[in-house]
Each structure stands twice: as C-alpha cells, then as structure tokens.
Amino acid sequence: MAEVLQAAIEELDDKGFLDVEVDPTLDLFAEIEKLKKEKNAVVLAHYYQEADIQDIADYIGDSLGLAQEAEKTDADMIVFAGVHFMAETAKILNPTKKVVIPDFKAGCSLSDSCPPELFAKFKAQHPDHVVVSYINCSAGIKALSDVIVTSSNAKIIVESFPKEQKIIFAPDKNLGAYINKVTGRDMLLWNGACMVHEIFSLEKITRLQQENPNAKLIAHPECEEPLLKMADFIGSTTGLLKYTMNDDAQEYIVATETGILHQMEKASPHKKFIPAPPNNECACNDCPHMKRNTLEKVYLCMKYEKPDIIMDEELRLAAKKPIDRMLEISKAAGL
Ligand code: 13P
Ligand code: SF4
C-alpha cells in the first residue's frame, strides 16, 4: 500500500487527486464521519456539488456563506468541496489550518478568464479606478483588488463607494453589467464569463415556460442580460434557494447549475423544480469543474490530507486584505 500511495502522490500534479483504489464495499458516509471526528475536520460544500457530497457536508452554502464559515471555524482541517478559488480563499483566511480539496484540478472558467499579468496591465491603464473583484478569481487577482464581492453582496459593496468613484469590476462581465444596472453605476468591466451560465438556451427556456405557464423563472446574475431580463427573480445560489422556500409559486425553472436543485427539492418537496436547459444536447447544466469532486475523492483527501492548498505568504497577505474588507462590510450590512 505504501508503494501505491507513493506512486499516487507522485502523480498528484498531473491527476489533481490521489488516484488510490478504494474498497468498493466501504461505507463512505460512515468513513467520512469517522475521519471528521478523528481529525477534527469540517466539510464545507458549495451548492453545485453532487447530492452525496452535500449530504455529508457540515455546511452547504454560496460563496459568501462558505467564506464566512471558513473564517469562523475552529476545526483543524477544512475539507473544501468546491472549486480551487474557494479552497484558496479558505486557506487565505486560515493559514495555520490544513485546507484540503478533493481535486485541485477543479478550476473555474471565470477565474481562468482573468490572468493576473494581463489584469495588472489593465489596472495600470486606469490608475484612478478602484478594483472590485468577484470572489471567483485567483489569489493573484484578489491581491490586485481593493475589495472582493460575491453575488449576494456585490450591490451593497459597490454602493459603499461614492457615486463618482471610478470602478473596475472583474472578472465577470455579466454580473458586472447586472450590478451596473441595479446601482446605476458605470463600472468598467473585465471581459470574463462563466461557461455554465453563458450557455442557457433562451429558445428552450421559452418553450419550457409555454409548457409550464405557472412556473417562475429564477436566475443567477452570472447569466447573460437577455435571460436576466426574462427572470422573475435574480439572486445568488442562497438567494435563489431562499426565494423558492418563501415564495408562493409551486413551480420554478432554475437558471443556474443543477446542483442547487438538491437543496431546493429537500426544502420544498411538494414543489416542482425544472433545470433550465443549455444550448447543447443536455437537459440540464452541470459545471464540469464542480463535478470533478466525488464522494470517493472527498474520502481520499481527508484520509491522506492531500491535495492541500499551499500559499506564498506575501501573496496570501495581499489577497486577504480585500477579502477582510468584504467580510467587514457584509457583517455591518447584516449579511
Ligand atoms: P454563488 O454560490 O456565490 O451564488 O456563486 C455561484 C458560482 O458560480 C460559484 O462558482
Ligand atoms: Fe466557475 Fe461557473 Fe463553475 Fe462557478 S459554475 S465554478 S463560476 S465555471
């Protein structure tokens, strides 16, 4: 076993996870619970994770909730079932804790659309602007930012700047355009987007609306403007979930990654949730990065404490400042 493990560790950079065979008869749910106790570990999962992972998580949330949870945890090990920038954010907030991720190749197209070297040049061309960055970005971009936002606090944080303050918003042009619209600002937008939220088919959604005339269309602000214009409600994943819990409608067409439907169905079992279809042959829209994580990989990363997030201290400190600012403003706003 020691040799197999050694070989898997050597292949970690290529594969992104420890490729060690797991006994198929093992009860992974029970094993993960055991490891949580043994290692004083907490499992934080994003709503886009597969249902089994959500079911073993200690906390499931949107990006803001996950960052807040990571900041306050007293666990020794944080198991981050999400994508790389989320685990990195947890490490930035917890330098002395071990932060493991089931698969460190779980990236993000939005984060990748904004390389720090290019963004630094863009920023230098606009020295009179402050930089507001969506949390879906690398530590390198966070270090170049004045404040970080998520989809649940972006409006409040942008409005915390005086109206005349010039702002660069990165990396999501769709969320940026939406925030420009709801705040009346004219932020300069980096040209990035999320591969999942950009490919919804308006034609198929319109057909679904005709077939389900009582269904409300709810959408994440990473979607493009034409879809957002059609939506009855726009919000972060937590915002969408809460809306379906408190609203009177019985049917919803949900325009975000399908993982969120698990919690919506659990919270409102009598309601009908229809995933908004993308413009390809699939009926629903999965994030290929989020879905790299599996229950088996969660178990393996907890057991062997790899892959774990390692950060340069100078970069960590620079990236922490705008995250701290976000957490402070959110707290003051009661979020
Ligand atoms: P929220 O969960 O913060 O709404 O973000 C959605 C998302 O795309 C995360 O990658
Ligand atoms: Fe990134 Fe989009 Fe996947 Fe979220 S859903 S992790 S923004 S690619």
Side-chain angles (χ1 to χ4, degrees):
M1 184 58 197
E3 279 162 33
V4 176
L5 183 60
Q6 190 51 39
I9 290 172
E10 278 162 24
E11 286 175 349
L12 196 55
D13 282 352
D14 283 339
K15 295 204 168 167
F17 62 99
L18 276 181
D19 194 3
V20 177
E21 211 175 287
V22 176
D23 175 356
T25 63
L26 213 57
D27 178 350
L28 289 178
F29 290 88
E31 292 300 318
I32 289 171
E33 287 308 325
K34 234 198 272 174
L35 286 168
K36 279 187 199 173
K37 289 196 188 87
E38 262 170 51
K39 302 194 179 214
N40 186 26
V42 66
V43 179
L44 308 183
H46 188 266
Y47 289 122
Y48 296 165
Q49 291 296 281
E50 62 174 46
D52 281 351
I53 297 181
Q54 293 189 35
D55 290 345
I56 54 94
D58 298 294
Y59 178 84
I60 317 160
D62 67 358
S63 307
L64 177 62
L66 288 163
Q68 287 169 328
E69 206 60 30
E71 190 197 30
K72 67 179 187 220
T73 184
D74 54 11
D76 294 318
M77 180 161 91
I78 299 173
V79 183
F80 214 112
V83 290
H84 191 274
F85 75 80
M86 295 178 171
E88 195 175 57
T89 302
K91 184 69 181 178
I92 290 168
L93 294 167
N94 293 283
T96 59
K97 293 189 201 301
K98 181 149 267 192
V99 179
V100 294
I101 179 165
D103 188 327
F104 71 65
K105 286 204 170 174
C108 169
S109 66
L110 183 50
S111 175
D112 291 347
S113 68
C114 195
E117 317 74 56
L118 283 185
F119 186 70
K121 283 187 194 153
F122 178 72
K123 181 183 164 180
Q125 287 161 6
H126 304 283
D128 52 345
H129 287 56
V130 294
V131 176
V132 176
S133 295
Y134 189 33
I135 197 164
N136 297 37
C137 65
S138 62
I141 296 296
K142 290 187 174 82
L144 292 166
S145 306
D146 294 288
V147 63
I148 299 302
V149 301
T150 75
S151 45
S152 44
N153 59 22
K155 180 173 180 284
I156 288 172
I157 292 181
V158 166
E159 282 176 337
S160 72
F161 289 100
K163 266 223 166 280
E164 56 288 358
Q165 174 65 58
K166 291 180 180 168
I167 300 175
I168 292 174
F169 187 88
D172 188 2
K173 64 177 178 188
N174 293 321
L175 176 64
Y178 171 68
I179 298 298
N180 270 344
K181 193 173 160 194
V182 294
T183 60
R185 305 281 170 127
D186 185 22
M187 300 185 294
L188 193 53
L189 310 180
W190 180 262
N191 188 19
C194 157
M195 63 189 284
V196 176
H197 290 88
E198 277 220 320
I199 62 162
F200 286 112
S201 161
L202 293 192
E203 201 184 319
K204 289 186 195 169
I205 291 174
T206 306
R207 214 176 306 140
L208 272 179
Q209 286 180 307
Q210 286 160 358
E211 289 162 10
N212 301 275
N214 296 323
K216 280 189 176 169
L217 174 63
I218 57 174
H220 194 279
E222 285 176 24
C223 295
E224 291 178 314
E225 197 194 2
L227 195 164
L228 294 180
K229 269 192 178 154
M230 291 164 63
D232 296 292
F233 179 75
I234 298 166
S236 76
T237 49
T238 297
L240 297 175
L241 174 61
K242 284 194 180 151
Y243 182 76
T244 61
M245 289 161 74
N246 299 324
D247 177 61
D248 289 340
Q250 297 299 308
E251 293 170 33
Y252 300 88
I253 300 168
V254 183
T256 189
E257 213 265 5
T258 42
I260 186 75
L261 266 68
H262 183 53
Q263 294 305 321
M264 288 177 173
E265 282 162 352
K266 269 175 114 169
S268 311
H270 53 289
K271 294 191 179 186
K272 179 175 168 189
F273 299 99
I274 310 164
N279 56 18
N280 55 31
E281 58 295 338
C282 304
C284 53
N285 212 356
D286 278 335
C287 170
H289 306 291
M290 287 280 183
K291 295 299 191 303
R292 281 184 72 98
N293 296 334
T294 60
L295 200 61
E296 213 170 80
K297 288 182 189 173
V298 171
Y299 164 72
L300 285 170
C301 78
M302 288 179 81
K303 184 169 162 82
Y304 298 109
E305 304 189 9
K306 275 182 194 315
D308 64 325
I309 307 288
I310 301 187
M311 284 206 73
D312 170 78
E313 184 59 7
E314 206 179 314
L315 175 62
R316 187 188 74 78
L317 289 172
K320 186 170 184 291
K321 260 199 210 163
I323 299 175
D324 284 343
R325 190 164 172 193
M326 170 187 82
L327 292 170
E328 276 158 29
I329 301 174
S330 302
K331 198 171 174 188
L335 293 174

